[in-house]
Amino acid sequence: MPSSKLWGVAQLEGLRSYWWDSDPSEQSWVEIRKDMVGRPVIGTELRAPVLDSRGKKNPYYELLNAVQHGHRVYHWNSPEQRLVGYSTVSGRVRTDESLDPGVPWYRVDLIGFTPLDITVDAARLAAVAGDVFAHRERLRERVAGSLYLPFQYRADGIRFLSNYFAKLPNELIEILLGGPVHSSVPARASGFTGGYLQPFAAKSEGKYLAHVPERHEHRSRSHETLVNEFSAWLTSLGYETARNRAIDLAIRDPSVVIEAKWVDGNWAGHIRAAVGQLYEYRYFQLVSNDSRLVALFNEEPDRVWVDYLEKDRAMGVAWMDGLGGFELSRLAKAAIPIER
């Protein structure tokens, strides 16, 4: 019968050791997706057979046993030849026979898929090949044994392996992405250093397509108008606003994260989405774990929804007042004082 189980501590203690075990900052990996058809939605799950086609353990598949909750996984899409984004590990590895009865697979759940803001493709690999080769040599000088790096090191440059999964050292992330590495440890464990928020820049108010894990969400001119106008209003009050690919809007000081929803009649659906997103942003390092949470709407919600958000979810509520400004609920005013 199909079965699924979590690896216990005793089993994990029996696993092999790796060169990065002594460095708690090395918490990133890369999934190399060659076959997209029939695979789970990218950024939702890692999946590899316990035994390969020869009936043997594959050392790269075995790396899934070293993945821990809160680690970061980058995703290389081989058909597109680029890194498409990253996700966060949301649990421990489990073995599962439900995919193919009698044949166990390793599976690891992922959440929070975020597209990359920059392009890391074959051209980028060619541009940084020298640095990537040099990194391997430096690592070889201090590490004995397998490195489990994600590249083929060839005379004509570097290529991603076809081994599905590999370690992605911090130094390689800096080389590939052209910037410093941010720890993927949740803020409550590591201390908050600003996360991935960048100074606010208004997005185009034309329609675009935002990829959200397991669904696609069309955001319209009205959504970006709401975000842009609220940011301008906050700036007029003296606040410094910020955003990133996941978070619509935030304030650095005091620390507030804001999720905007342009409501078209489906209040329940929009409010559920806003609540879930705000909790995830605060839990997974994107903002400080003591950030205040505010849901922003284009019009005033019914009192029952304001009471639900404030009294049950401890979230502030803000909405357009129809006069070019915004109204704030009690908790929103506490989070964002209008007079400072």
Side-chain angles (χ1 to χ4, degrees), residues 13 30 38 83 172 209 231 240 252 300:
E13 288 175 349
V30 61
L83 280 175
L172 276 185
L209 188 66
S231 176
E240 177 188 355
R252 294 184 181 278
E300 183 178 4

Side-chain angles (χ1 to χ4, degrees), residues 250-269:
I251 300 172
R252 294 184 181 278
D253 185 19
S255 183
V256 182
V257 60
I258 300 149
E259 176 63 27
K261 296 296 179 187
W262 188 277
V263 179
D264 54 9
N266 181 20
W267 276 101

Side-chain angles (χ1 to χ4, degrees), residues 5-16 65 93 95:
K5 65 179 180 179
L6 290 172
W7 281 75
V9 174
Q11 289 170 294
L12 291 174
E13 288 175 349
L15 297 174
R16 71 182 72 186
N65 288 301
V93 67
T95 55

